[in-house]
Amino acid sequence: MAETEDFLVRELHPEDDDIFKEPMRKRRRSDRDQRFRAFPSVEQSALKEYEKLESRTRRVLSNTYQKLIQSVFLDDNIPNSIKYLINRLLALIEKPSLDPIYIGLFGSTGAGKSSLINAIIRQAMFLPVSGESICTSCIVQVSSGCCEQYEAKIHLLSDQEWKEELKNLTTLLHRTEGPGGEEEDAWDRGDAAEEAVWKLQMFYGNGAEGKSYEELLRAKPRGKIPTSRVISLKAEEAGELSVKLDPYIRTQRRDWDGGSAETHIWPLIKLVEVTLPKSELIPEGVVLVDIPGTGDFNSKRDEMWKKTIDKCSVIWVISDIERISGGRAHEDLLNESMKACQRGFCRDLALVVTKSDKLHLPEYLRERKVGNEAIQSQREAVLERNEMIKLQRNKILKDKLKRKLPADSRVLEASELVYTVSAQEYWQQAVLTEEETEIPKLREYIRRRLLDKKKRTVTKYVTEAFGLLLLTDSFSCTDHMQNEYLHMSGLRRFVEEKIQLLEKAIDQCFAHIARPLQEGIWNARSSYRRILGACLVRSRGNQGFHQTLKAVCLKNGIYASRTLARIDLNEAITQPIYEQIDPIFGRIFRSGKPTDGSALIPHIDAFKLSLQEKMTEIGIRNGWKYDSYKKTFLIQEISAILGGLEEHILRKKRKIYESLTTSVQNDLKPCYEEAAQITGKKACERMKDVLRRGVDRQVAEGMFERAQERMQHQFQQLKNGITEKVKGSIATMLTLASSPGDGLYKELADVKSEYKEMEKLHRSLREVAENAVLRRGMQNFLLRMSPSKAGPPKT
């Protein structure tokens, strides 16, 4: 099989094809090959060809840039059009080869996130695991790179960030006035207080919980804190780095006072980045992120938690097979992940059910209701049960997503939304084979995502570069431009008219959310008391809840614990609004074809298409050739400008989506601050009373209506930003394209050789894509014809 694939690669990738020769400044072949070790040979060949295309393109752009700089270096009055061209070349040269693909593993305590990462990278016990308690205490990112060693960077809170947390921790632990009072006797540490004591004792030593904020500022920490607030670790072997890393990322036991100096600075840690050297299993450009399920009490860490979720283009919700049904934590994680699809960059979401080898066979056989065939083994029972879970959970998850997201969302088109994996069986293979653990399936998913993104990125990059080289060459060949610039005035008028139509279309698009938003406001007004009351009630009454409620108020309505469900009063109060607007909000920011005019991106695509059609029309009418410099440049440059606009919209939508909760939180801030200061007898009931009265007062004064106005204002700002960017960028581009040839242009360096090479690279895009398809088809054919396919499963 390998020999057949190698022969196929040689046939499709001949050595004498100069398109794929190495650039003048060659990268070491061994380094380049190492980057693709995670891929099968067929995919490696495609990646290498795309990599060479990109490398050659960067070299052509660099040569062109250097020639232009030398041409205008001594000129005191460089035209804006040339400045634009030079800046665009430089931006393309410096553009990252590939933005990382962040895959978030999002799960609650003990779900098996770290075990799953260890299995994917094939490094047993690399990240700390435990079946009994929380292990990973912070966000951990794992990726592979060009480094020769295993490396890790531990990022700590800044001095100011720690002072902020310290003040909140000491305020939380401030007890009632006077010893022996009623409140003193009834005071019982809740989860929030226990965690505060734990952190202070870990950082400053026993007795720290009884000291004031000022006293602790003067106290000496137990561990050594680097001035850079970053700790770097390196090791030759994975096991060696794992030992060094363990104290920093493993949650320390609360009843344990020992440990090294590393464990003492544990409360400062906010992020750990781990880099593997040239992994055969996780390709460079992919980052696996272990995300704790509930956020953090520290504001900076909690904000990082949110941003980390939002920057993930893929989220895997990790859930233990024994908690998959009816677990509140599991539902909360799914809801948070679906919000990430609304407000962030997430495009793919899947449920990964861990520990799928767990099954009590006698109990399963007694309750089994499917099929007539007898179960012969534990393995058959596990596989049958896992398949049933996939079918059931796939339907449930898809129904949830349909209620929240547009019908044409990419995630709803996925063939698989549920995976059943077993990290333990991946290592032992006592019951399941390696393939049946589905760890290889997750790796294949990762590779496919990276390969698809690489293809799209390089294709866009080469096409954009070709457009710039077309125009650059035309500046040296003024025959193409002397008499054509006068014909651009009609295009300018057309663009102005289309921009006005685009503004109207955006207004109509955003108008779709007005009614659901209003209905959500009505629902919120009628239900906020019930929702707030439910949030302020705990089954064991006020015992222990006093400090938790105080923590909620100290953090403006939000409390994130490592052991309890996340509390967010602002989000709970606004939930009825989000239930109304979520479907239409998703439709506004979808990328599918427009149906009812509610989608924003298709309006921009229609605007782009209308400009491109107009250019073709003007070109034909004015004698432009079909492949003329002018038309090709304009079409490609508009695609680049509007492509960047889509990224701008995606970055802004998080602020729009969260504007409701942010507005409510800001309005309730005085109320939270007042409640947080309450001490003495019946403090818990008094805090609840302050919160109830404060929310009532704000609702009566128009809190929800202000949130509505602020969201609508954010939409208006987005519209203004879109139209300003379109007007400015396209006006500059048209000025560039219509500039007449003058003396300066005649003095520009000749870039004909660079243009010809770029033209050849652009043509080769199709060849590379066809080669990849042909290789994949041949590979699939050979796999189907392979006699080993019918053999026993690999163990």
Side-chain angles (χ1 to χ4, degrees):
M1 179 67 191
E3 292 178 358
T4 307
E5 285 186 1
D6 290 340
F7 171 77
L8 181 61
V9 170
R10 286 196 302 270
E11 287 298 301
L12 294 174
H13 188 190
E15 295 296 330
D16 58 351
D17 190 343
D18 65 341
I19 290 293
F20 300 108
K21 286 182 181 176
E22 285 292 333
M24 190 178 300
R25 189 176 64 182
K26 294 185 179 181
R27 294 180 59 180
R28 289 187 303 171
R29 181 176 296 276
S30 59
D31 286 349
R32 190 180 66 245
D33 292 347
Q34 291 288 333
R35 295 183 61 200
F36 307 127
R37 290 172 63 189
F39 294 88
S41 60
V42 167
E43 294 175 355
Q44 281 189 30
S45 299
L47 279 167
K48 288 174 185 176
E49 288 183 352
Y50 279 107
E51 181 100 337
K52 289 175 184 177
L53 274 176
E54 181 187 352
S55 178
R56 293 285 302 263
T57 300
R58 286 186 189 275
R59 191 194 70 173
V60 172
L61 291 173
S62 296
N63 291 345
T64 306
Y65 177 78
Q66 292 297 329
K67 284 187 175 182
L68 287 185
I69 289 294
Q70 291 172 8
S71 296
V72 301
F73 182 71
L74 298 177
D75 199 293
D76 295 329
N77 187 25
I78 304 174
N80 289 332
S81 55
I82 300 298
K83 289 179 182 178
Y84 176 90
L85 183 61
I86 290 175
N87 288 334
R88 286 286 286 116
L89 285 168
L90 183 59
L92 268 184
I93 292 167
E94 295 180 345
K95 189 174 184 179
S97 178
L98 187 71
D99 291 329
I101 297 175
Y102 289 91
I103 300 178
L105 283 75
F106 191 38
S108 55
T109 303
K113 302 185 297 294
S114 299
S115 297
L116 181 57
I117 290 178
N118 289 342
I120 290 173
I121 66 175
R122 199 183 287 163
Q123 295 289 349
M125 306 302 291
F126 183 71
L127 298 180
V129 296
S130 170
E132 300 176 358
S133 60
I134 311 172
C135 268
T136 309
S137 60
C138 59
I139 296 172
V140 180
Q141 296 184 174
V142 180
S143 61
S144 67
C146 297
C147 53
E148 297 295 330
Q149 295 178 302
Y150 291 84
E151 300 179 359
K153 286 185 178 180
I154 297 101
H155 299 267
L156 308 179
L157 293 173
S158 69
D159 186 56
Q160 189 59 40
E161 290 164 355
W162 172 246
K163 285 179 180 178
E164 178 196 334
E165 178 163 9
L166 182 61
K167 190 162 190 174
N168 286 326
L169 293 174
T170 52
T171 302
L172 183 61
L173 293 175
H174 179 65
R175 298 177 68 167
T176 59
E177 300 170 0
E182 178 184 335
E183 189 70 21
E184 177 84 15
D185 293 336
W187 191 83
D188 179 54
R189 286 178 182 169
D191 180 80
E194 287 285 358
E195 186 159 336
V197 170
W198 180 32
K199 287 182 178 180
L200 293 179
Q201 289 180 347
M202 180 70 69
F203 196 65
Y204 293 108
N206 288 334
E209 70 277 15
K211 296 181 179 179
S212 68
Y213 171 67
E214 290 75 16
E215 288 174 321
L216 291 175
L217 282 180
R218 294 190 296 269
K220 184 178 180 181
R222 299 169 73 189
K224 186 178 179 181
I225 305 170
T227 54
S228 65
R229 314 299 278 201
V230 177
I231 299 169
S232 297
L233 303 175
K234 292 185 178 182
E236 294 292 335
E237 301 294 334
E240 184 185 351
L241 182 68
S242 179
V243 170
K244 292 180 178 180
L245 197 56
D246 192 275
Y248 295 104
I249 61 177
R250 181 185 291 275
T251 299
Q252 305 303 319
R253 287 168 46 190
R254 300 191 185 194
D255 59 350
W256 187 55
D257 188 44
S260 61
E262 291 88 347
T263 63
H264 297 154
I265 66 168
W266 174 84
L268 289 184
I269 297 171
K270 62 180 178 181
L271 171 67
V272 174
E273 295 178 299
V274 180
T275 306
L276 313 176
K278 302 183 181 70
S279 172
E280 295 183 4
L281 301 165
I282 172 172
E284 186 179 343
V286 172
V287 183
L288 300 176
V289 191
D290 186 337
I291 307 174
T294 58
D296 196 275
F297 181 65
N298 175 270
S299 300
K300 205 67 180 178
R301 276 194 292 250
D302 199 58
E303 179 64 19
M304 179 176 287
W305 177 79
K306 284 185 180 178
K307 287 184 176 180
T308 300
I309 295 172
D310 288 347
K311 75 179 179 182
C312 291
S313 57
V314 179
I315 291 180
W316 292 342
V317 179
I318 312 299
S319 186
D320 184 335
I321 198 164
E322 295 180 344
R323 305 185 206 176
I324 194 68
S325 300
R328 167 69 188 278
H330 167 70
E331 293 302 317
D332 288 344
L333 292 169
L334 275 178
N335 290 334
E336 191 65 41
S337 302
M338 285 188 281
K339 287 176 190 173
C341 291
Q342 294 280 35
R343 69 180 183 233
F345 288 87
C346 182
R347 290 292 177 270
D348 277 358
L349 188 152
L351 173 62
V352 179
V353 183
T354 57
K355 307 174 186 178
S356 66
D357 59 300
K358 284 187 177 181
L359 182 139
H360 187 246
L361 186 57
E363 182 179 329
Y364 176 75
L365 292 176
R366 186 177 67 247
E367 297 179 356
R368 182 172 177 255
K369 297 178 182 179
V370 296
N372 298 318
E373 296 182 8
I375 292 292
Q376 302 294 327
S377 66
Q378 178 89 3
R379 173 177 170 273
E380 290 181 6
V382 167
L383 292 176
E384 181 182 81
R385 187 275 316 271
N386 290 352
E387 191 60 33
M388 283 193 301
I389 285 178
K390 280 186 178 182
L391 292 173
Q392 294 167 358
R393 285 287 139 185
N394 191 78
K395 184 179 185 307
I396 292 171
L397 180 54
K398 188 160 283 191
D399 288 343
K400 282 180 177 290
L401 292 170
K402 284 179 179 178
R403 289 196 296 271
K404 289 283 186 180
L405 304 176
D408 58 355
S409 295
R410 173 176 171 174
V411 65
L412 292 174
E413 298 172 359
S415 57
E416 289 187 273
L417 288 174
V418 182
Y419 299 87
T420 52
V421 304
S422 173
Q424 180 172 309
E425 276 299 295
Y426 174 77
W427 300 110
Q428 297 178 356
Q429 296 184 33
V431 176
L432 303 175
T433 67
E434 180 177 314
E435 290 296 323
E436 289 165 348
T437 68
E438 298 202 357
I439 300 296
K441 186 181 286 188
L442 293 181
R443 290 188 192 134
E444 182 184 359
Y445 172 88
I446 292 171
R447 291 195 304 267
R448 189 171 64 248
R449 280 291 305 225
L450 185 69
L451 182 59
D452 290 345
K453 186 170 183 178
K454 186 69 175 178
K455 288 178 181 177
R456 291 195 307 271
T457 302
V458 173
T459 299
K460 181 179 177 182
Y461 187 78
V462 173
T463 302
E464 196 172 337
F466 180 50
L468 283 177
L469 261 294
L470 278 170
L471 191 73
T472 306
D473 182 55
S474 72
F475 280 155
S476 299
C477 303
T478 56
D479 292 342
H480 293 282
M481 301 186 65
Q482 285 287 343
N483 299 315
E484 290 182 356
Y485 76 96
L486 294 174
H487 302 301
M488 300 298 289
S489 57
L491 183 57
R492 288 179 187 277
R493 288 193 298 271
F494 178 81
V495 168
E496 290 171 1
E497 293 171 0
K498 284 298 178 180
I499 288 176
Q500 291 177 0
L501 291 176
L502 177 63
E503 288 180 306
K504 291 179 181 179
I506 294 173
D507 283 334
Q508 293 170 0
C509 170
F510 291 165
H512 282 80
I513 206 167
R515 184 169 179 176
L517 185 56
Q518 184 61 58
E519 292 173 352
I521 297 297
W522 293 335
N523 293 346
R525 288 184 66 90
S526 62
S527 61
Y528 77 90
R529 286 177 179 165
R530 173 181 55 79
I531 294 170
L532 182 62
C535 292
L536 298 180
V537 171
R538 287 296 180 270
S539 59
R540 56 176 181 165
N542 294 337
Q543 190 177 26
F545 186 54
H546 175 193
Q547 267 62 40
T548 300
L549 185 55
K550 193 168 198 175
V552 170
C553 295
L554 283 169
K555 306 307 292 183
N556 293 322
I558 301 172
Y559 174 60
S561 163
R562 298 179 188 278
T563 56
L564 299 179
R566 182 181 179 88
I567 299 173
D568 190 334
L569 297 184
N570 313 299
E571 192 173 278
I573 291 170
T574 54
Q575 188 56 36
I577 308 176
Y578 284 109
E579 287 175 356
Q580 290 294 321
I581 70 169
D582 271 351
I584 188 64
F585 190 92
R587 288 203 294 273
I588 287 174
F589 291 99
R590 69 185 173 188
S591 56
K593 294 181 179 179
T595 54
D596 56 359
S598 62
L600 176 59
I601 300 298
H603 284 304
I604 294 173
D605 289 340
F607 172 72
K608 177 176 69 176
L609 182 61
S610 66
L611 294 189
Q612 292 173 342
E613 289 176 345
K614 187 66 175 179
M615 289 169 201
T616 302
E617 176 192 326
I618 292 176
I620 294 172
R621 189 169 65 244
N622 294 304
W624 291 359
K625 295 179 181 179
Y626 178 76
D627 60 344
S628 71
Y629 297 99
K630 188 71 59 66
K631 186 192 73 175
T632 306
F633 164 74
L634 289 174
I635 288 175
Q636 293 178 0
E637 193 69 359
I638 282 177
S639 295
I641 290 170
L642 298 181
L645 194 60
E646 291 181 24
E647 295 175 7
H648 168 77
I649 292 168
L650 289 176
R651 286 193 297 270
K652 292 294 183 183
K653 77 170 183 175
R654 180 191 179 196
K655 189 174 182 179
I656 298 174
Y657 189 76
E658 293 183 338
S659 61
L660 296 174
T661 52
T662 302
S663 176
V664 167
Q665 185 181 48
N666 289 338
D667 285 355
L668 293 179
K669 189 173 182 179
C671 168
Y672 291 133
E673 291 174 347
E674 181 184 351
Q677 298 303 315
I678 292 175
T679 59
K681 295 181 180 181
K682 300 187 182 298
C684 191
E685 283 303 323
R686 287 159 55 208
M687 280 194 289
K688 290 180 181 179
D689 188 53
V690 166
L691 290 173
R692 291 189 188 101
R693 285 188 289 105
V695 174
D696 278 342
R697 183 173 60 253
Q698 288 296 328
V699 171
E701 294 175 359
M703 178 177 74
F704 291 126
E705 287 73 18
R706 286 192 296 274
Q708 178 183 17
E709 290 171 4
R710 286 163 182 164
M711 174 171 269
Q712 290 172 332
H713 177 67
Q714 290 291 335
F715 273 115
Q716 183 63 36
Q717 283 192 320
L718 176 59
K719 185 195 104 170
N720 294 341
I722 290 171
T723 54
E724 286 173 9
K725 284 179 177 293
V726 168
K727 287 177 182 177
S729 299
I730 293 185
T732 303
M733 180 202 65
L734 291 178
T735 299
L736 173 63
S738 61
S739 298
D742 58 21
L744 174 64
Y745 300 149
K746 295 177 183 177
E747 295 171 7
L748 283 177
D750 183 9
V751 293
K752 277 198 174 300
S753 60
E754 284 78 11
Y755 163 69
K756 288 181 179 178
E757 186 173 0
M758 195 67 244
E759 186 179 33
K760 190 185 295 184
L761 291 170
H762 186 254
R763 282 201 308 267
S764 70
L765 275 174
R766 176 179 294 183
E767 178 187 346
V768 172
E770 289 173 350
N771 286 354
V773 171
L774 184 55
R775 289 192 191 97
R776 173 60 62 187
M778 182 61 74
Q779 182 191 46
N780 292 338
F781 171 77
L782 293 173
L783 286 173
R784 288 195 303 270
M785 299 300 294
S786 174
S788 62
K789 190 175 187 298
K794 182 180 178 181
T795 59

